[in-house]
Amino acid sequence: MPPGFYLQGFSEFPRLQPFLFVLLLIIHLATLSGNLIILVSVASVATRPPMLLFLCQLSAIELCYTLVVVPRCLADLARAQERGSPISFVGCAVQMQMFVALGGAECFLLAAMAYDRYVAICHPLRYPVLMTSGLCGKLAISCCLGGLLVSLFLTVAVFQLPFCGSHLLVHFFCDITALLHLACTRSYMEELPLLGACIILLLVPSFLILTSYGAIVGALRRLHSSGGRRKAASTCISHLAVTLLHYGCATFMYARPKISYAPKRDRTLALIYTNVTPLLYPLIYSFRNREVTTAIHRVLSLKGDGHSLVTG
């Protein structure tokens, strides 16, 4: 089996590491808390509409997504090793596979959520018939399986490449761009698996999302009431914001040729999209979704009542 790698992390900035550790720890705890609150809040609702079920799955994905990357990064910052942190070949492959699988599942899930908004706005009377619990369950499982299959294909393709030199990854986790940058080959053939994965995970769901919102815009234009248009459009704002964040970061990071890779710049950008964006998602949905806000208030009020009963 080929030797492992060294994750450089931020070892070249020893004075900056304590500050980064504290900052990332605060963001990580806030992200975990936000997504856990949404999961508990949605689970506490007796009758959950499809959008809440999809949101629950999104929070679960974000929870796992951040756990795949951030704890190890925090541990490496705490150890402050000069050479970087060693990671085995298998461990690196598993981390990359899980990261791609969760990110891919989120891509497909955002497309499913766009379809849900399309049915709710364009076919409101048929919504309960079309968006059944069985269909939502099948969509949720399909999103996870789709991300898993693409991640396995991409991981096998990337880790069959020859790696040479110091095996030092200028990154804090086993990201695809860092591994491709380290590969010895220089032909464009090594980029084909990543290109194929981008087409499946980014272009196909993007097309479905754009198609859904194209139909939604057409339906909104046919509404005569401006208040009705605003009310219908407001149900899409949270989903659109999360979709733009996710696809914007993913497209910029992965849908570009290897010649444009810049390890240190990509590492800084990865620090943002693996830490900041998962924190923003629960905030966006908490502020913009009335059902989520109501569920969170219900859970927090129950906890408050329980605490008052105990103390009383």
Side-chain angles (χ1 to χ4, degrees), residues 54-125:
F54 290 141
L55 179 57
C56 187
Q57 186 182 4
L58 180 64
S59 293
I61 289 174
E62 288 301 320
L63 202 62
C64 299
Y65 183 84
T66 188
L67 287 173
V68 167
V69 174
V70 181
R72 182 186 175 94
C73 179
L74 289 172
D76 292 343
L77 286 171
R79 285 194 293 263
Q81 297 178 347
E82 293 183 3
R83 281 196 60 198
S85 172
I87 184 170
S88 67
F89 188 84
V90 174
C92 191
V94 169
Q95 187 185 50
M96 191 196 104
Q97 186 272 322
M98 293 179 67
F99 180 78
V100 175
L102 291 165
E106 186 171 340
C107 288
F108 292 129
L109 181 61
L110 290 171
M113 295 170 80
Y115 175 73
D116 173 77
R117 291 299 85 200
Y118 157 74
V119 176
I121 293 174
C122 298
H123 305 284
L125 298 179

Side-chain angles (χ1 to χ4, degrees), residues 51 109-122 205-222 232-244 247 285:
M51 196 62 176
L109 181 61
L110 290 171
M113 295 170 80
Y115 175 73
D116 173 77
R117 291 299 85 200
Y118 157 74
V119 176
I121 293 174
C122 298
S206 295
F207 174 77
L208 296 175
I209 292 171
L210 290 173
T211 302
S212 297
Y213 274 102
I216 288 172
V217 170
L220 291 179
R221 292 182 64 181
R222 289 192 295 270
S234 66
T235 64
C236 303
I237 292 176
S238 299
H239 176 259
L240 276 173
V242 171
T243 300
L244 289 173
Y247 279 92
Y285 271 103

